[in-house]
Amino acid sequence: MMTLRAGLLGVGMMGRHHARVLREVDGIELVAIADPGGDPHSVAKGLPVLPDVDALIEAGIDIAVVAVPTRFHEEAALKLAEAGVHTLVEKPIADSVEQGQRMVEAFESRGLVGAVGHVERFNPALQQMRRRIEAGDLGAIYQIATRRQGPFPSRIADVGVGKDLASHDIDLTAWVVQSDFTTVFGQTAFKSGREYEDMIAITGRLANGVITSHLVNWLSPMKERLTVVTGEKGAFIADTSTGDLTFYANGTIDLEWESMAQFRGVSEGDVTRFAFAKREPLRVEHEAFRDAVLGKESDVVTMTQGLRTLRVVEAALESARTNSVFTL
């Protein structure tokens, strides 16, 4: 395997994790980092801290990871595309659909790999869930519901909870069942005194008929990361904070309690929590990006897919502003 020379733009809270993983993945050598704010988490480890993306490009890199605030994604990505550098941009792809579209075109026109860091796709619980759904373990899929809640992260200053967190759920929902959103309706709340929403509820429907519900906020004292997929044979519950996947099967034993049997559409069956290897999602994401650059089969999140997710989130935000259902 050839070794790819990697550069990292942004070494803040997320960038520090990218720096660690880039040093651990086979076939990648972290050769340069850049951040105009310096190195607050001491991740350079002997590498000079370059001032900007131009200096990063001059270091002679093959691939780059962009982990700066969302409003700077487009400028950095376009310069990297012009320089012929394959790039993984943290989610969301950009601050607006228009910016994201320019990024997609810049990388596609040059035959470069442009990827977006929707890392939840690489969570072991969701990877297992998707494989089991594809194998027919759940039968026909009826509904997907997600909850992503927790305290306010002061480091996020340029986007609301919709683009920062709900984008995870929109992406993973479409990916898990391989179907795009067709309609969305959003409701938002602004409780922390910022210009951006800190709570959003999104309902939607996918092209395959599956209905969806997503509750996302920065106002909860507890951290919750759940995805529930309900189908004809039962329900999967993925806890992506722990990487656990549990299957609740529909029962096959008749209920003798007549009033309860009439109330329930199905009966309770066996409950199974699966055991499987749990690799760090960020590492798996970087391996997928590496493989895509090397021309191997890869499930990397493309910029086109990242743009599609941003379109859905922006539609949900516009829906909240106008109190109307949006068709995509």
Side-chain angles (χ1 to χ4, degrees):
M1 182 185 298
M2 68 174 292
T3 299
L4 299 171
R5 291 171 56 85
L8 172 61
L9 179 64
V11 288
M13 292 296 289
M14 192 62 199
R16 62 176 178 168
H17 296 299
H18 281 293
R20 172 180 55 80
V21 173
L22 284 168
R23 287 186 166 106
E24 296 173 351
V25 174
D26 292 339
I28 295 178
E29 179 186 4
L30 180 61
V31 299
I33 66 171
D35 194 314
D39 185 15
H41 302 291
S42 302
V43 303
K45 295 184 178 179
L47 294 175
V49 182
L50 304 174
D52 51 34
V53 66
D54 297 303
L56 198 67
I57 292 170
E58 290 176 4
I61 56 176
D62 303 307
I63 63 174
V65 175
V66 175
V68 293
T70 306
R71 64 182 181 273
F72 301 124
H73 284 187
E74 181 192 17
E75 179 183 3
L78 294 184
K79 287 185 176 182
L80 289 161
E82 181 66 27
V85 179
H86 304 283
T87 302
L88 169 67
V89 178
E90 261 303 333
K91 59 80 200 163
I93 182 175
D95 206 29
S96 70
V97 167
E98 293 74 21
Q99 293 176 10
Q101 184 64 51
R102 289 191 288 269
M103 291 165 62
V104 168
E105 292 171 357
F107 282 85
E108 287 187 349
S109 65
R110 293 170 173 83
L112 297 169
V113 175
V116 183
H118 285 288
V119 71
E120 283 287 66
R121 277 204 203 182
F122 302 96
N123 188 283
L126 292 175
Q127 294 258 321
Q128 279 285 322
M129 178 191 283
R130 182 181 171 188
R131 282 194 284 269
R132 292 178 182 277
I133 287 173
E134 285 183 328
D137 291 6
L138 205 54
I141 307 302
Y142 301 150
Q143 181 186 62
I144 300 177
T146 68
R147 299 199 303 271
R148 187 174 300 272
Q149 308 177 96
F152 176 71
S154 57
R155 65 185 176 87
I156 304 297
D158 61 339
V159 294
V161 74
K163 290 182 180 178
D164 185 65
L165 287 189
S167 60
H168 278 308
D169 295 303
I170 297 301
D171 176 75
L172 71 85
T173 294
W175 171 75
V176 161
V177 295
Q178 295 291 284
S179 185
D180 295 329
F181 280 79
T182 56
T183 59
V184 290
F185 177 72
Q187 299 181 77
T188 54
F190 300 76
K191 301 296 184 181
S192 58
R194 302 167 70 243
E195 63 175 306
Y196 301 107
E197 79 286 347
D198 40 41
M199 175 178 283
I200 189 167
I202 303 171
T203 56
R205 184 179 293 273
L206 306 183
N208 61 2
V210 171
I211 58 175
T212 75
S213 171
H214 312 286
L215 296 177
V216 187
N217 73 64
W218 280 327
L219 301 176
S220 297
M222 78 292 187
K223 185 175 182 179
E224 188 177 39
R225 302 286 187 266
L226 290 180
T227 299
V228 182
V229 181
T230 303
E232 64 175 329
K233 296 181 181 180
F236 280 125
I237 298 182
D239 185 334
T240 55
S241 62
T242 62
D244 292 331
L245 178 65
T246 305
F247 177 55
Y248 291 78
N250 291 344
T252 57
I253 300 173
D254 292 335
L255 288 174
E256 297 181 7
W257 188 356
E258 184 177 352
S259 62
M260 289 298 291
Q262 293 173 347
F263 174 75
R264 298 187 180 193
V266 298
S267 61
E268 294 179 354
D270 295 333
V271 179
T272 305
R273 187 165 72 87
F274 299 105
F276 47 84
K278 296 178 181 178
R279 303 182 65 224
E280 181 182 2
L282 190 62
R283 184 185 182 99
V284 180
E285 178 181 63
H286 274 287
E287 290 174 349
F289 178 49
R290 174 202 63 196
D291 290 348
V293 171
L294 295 176
K296 300 180 180 180
E297 184 177 350
S298 171
D299 199 21
V300 68
V301 184
T302 67
M303 283 189 176
T304 297
Q305 293 169 343
L307 178 60
R308 189 179 302 132
T309 294
L310 181 58
R311 288 187 191 278
V312 176
V313 174
E314 287 205 345
L317 293 171
E318 184 62 20
S319 167
R321 285 190 288 267
T322 59
N323 193 33
S324 59
V325 177
F326 264 64
T327 300
L328 295 148

